[in-house]
Amino acid sequence: YGVRYSMLFNPYAADNTIMVFDPEAFNPALGNDPCNGLLQVPGETFCQDAGFSGGIEGPNRSLYPEDRNNFAPRLGVAWDPTGAAKSVLRAGLGVFYVRERLSPGLNIGGNPPFRVLRTGIRKLDSAEEPCPGCFANSSGVPTAGREQRAAIPHNWQWNVMFQHELLRNTTLEVGYVGNKGDDLLKTHDANQVRVGDRNNNGIQDRIEYARLGPGIASAVRPFGIFGDNRITLWDHAGESMYHSLQSQVISRFGRGSHFQASYTLS
């Protein structure tokens, strides 16, 4: 028996040039301000320096809370029920924490005001601007965020296994193995058209969007003020469950040779 403690710190940018979209930080009064709903590193003023009204202080340099409650207890048991050294019953239980991949931290570098979009039209036979104002710069809209809940993916693993010596140097093993995943990293679209009638016109929003398309995004998307755009939000809402019956026969013979047959039902 024992316990393991893990400190798995969140990644951050050396120059602090990251922004995270937080639905709770969105202020309808700021409209389509490119920094509306964004969290920035404490002490930084990137949004304000760019002339935007949004952008509030996040919890730390990584822009999402640190999880420091990562205690992982372990327990193992082995028992010879007959005392004849021919059979053994084993069982184990433990928690295992997972170091997260960097994908969420890489995506948030593309939020305003660090990205400038230049759009417009021009003629095929010339690189000259065809008309005054045909080209325009834009800081875009929020596209990536993180939930503001401290969590690290982890698994509960447990097993019960019975091993018996059938013949000399030949053993049979049969057991149950389980694995439950909690707080697993996943994504969803924070700006997805949801079930219901957001604009109260008597038509289900998803049906209306399917019929009319991006033109009604502002009326049916939660953050439609930013247009018909996806806002990828990383969270820890993922779960998993695994059950299995595992068995094997191993027979050793000669000098280092053996026969093994295994079967798993999961």
Side-chain angles (χ1 to χ4, degrees):
Y1 61 90
V3 61
R4 175 173 177 152
Y5 179 71
S6 299
M7 285 291 288
L8 304 174
F9 295 106
N10 302 333
Y12 59 85
D15 57 2
N16 295 334
T17 54
I18 54 175
M19 291 279 180
V20 165
F21 181 76
D22 175 17
E24 299 299 322
F26 178 80
N27 182 358
L30 297 181
N32 62 353
D33 182 279
C35 283
N36 192 1
L38 292 181
L39 305 181
Q40 57 188 349
V41 174
E44 301 289 358
T45 57
F46 294 119
C47 283
Q48 289 71 29
D49 294 343
F52 302 132
S53 300
I56 63 176
E57 187 173 288
N60 50 46
R61 291 187 73 184
S62 67
L63 297 180
Y64 64 104
E66 297 277 6
D67 185 1
R68 295 186 171 90
N69 190 33
N70 303 317
F71 291 93
R74 312 283 171 82
L75 175 65
V77 177
W79 176 48
D80 180 354
T82 65
K86 297 292 185 180
S87 303
V88 62
L89 182 67
R90 297 186 177 92
L93 172 68
V95 180
F96 301 83
Y97 286 91
V98 180
R99 184 179 296 278
E100 291 189 337
R101 59 185 183 271
L102 292 176
S103 302
L106 299 176
N107 293 339
I108 58 180
N111 280 324
F114 308 120
R115 178 177 61 181
V116 176
L117 305 178
R118 184 164 177 81
T119 58
I121 60 173
R122 66 182 179 192
K123 298 178 181 180
L124 294 177
D125 58 352
S126 171
E128 298 297 324
E129 188 172 5
C131 60
C134 280
F135 287 97
N137 291 338
S138 167
S139 292
V141 298
T143 59
R146 291 292 305 255
E147 69 166 345
Q148 294 300 299
R149 179 175 73 92
I152 290 180
H154 60 277
N155 290 74
W156 279 92
Q157 299 182 7
W158 60 90
N159 65 82
V160 178
M161 197 73 62
F162 181 73
Q163 187 179 48
H164 180 68
E165 185 182 57
L166 298 174
L167 302 169
R168 178 179 173 79
N169 295 327
T170 301
T171 58
L172 168 68
E173 189 172 296
V174 179
Y176 161 74
V177 176
N179 187 318
K180 184 180 188 299
D182 287 318
D183 292 334
L184 305 182
L185 195 64
K186 59 178 287 292
T187 67
H188 70 275
D189 182 5
N191 203 25
Q192 177 176 293
V193 180
R194 299 173 186 171
V195 175
D197 183 14
R198 182 180 180 86
N199 56 0
N200 299 313
N201 64 353
I203 304 174
Q204 288 291 311
D205 290 343
R206 289 186 172 181
I207 294 177
E208 189 174 10
Y209 180 81
R211 291 172 176 170
L212 303 179
I216 62 164
S218 61
V220 298
R221 287 190 180 272
F223 304 101
I225 192 69
F226 295 130
D228 192 46
N229 295 291
R230 177 184 177 87
I231 302 178
T232 301
L233 191 70
W234 292 83
D235 61 35
H236 292 90
E239 296 180 351
S240 67
M241 177 60 77
Y242 173 83
H243 300 287
S244 69
L245 169 68
Q246 300 185 13
S247 61
Q248 68 176 3
V249 176
I250 298 178
S251 182
R252 293 177 172 83
F253 54 89
R255 294 185 176 182
S257 300
H258 77 277
F259 167 82
Q260 176 177 331
S262 304
Y263 177 75
T264 298
L265 175 65
S266 63

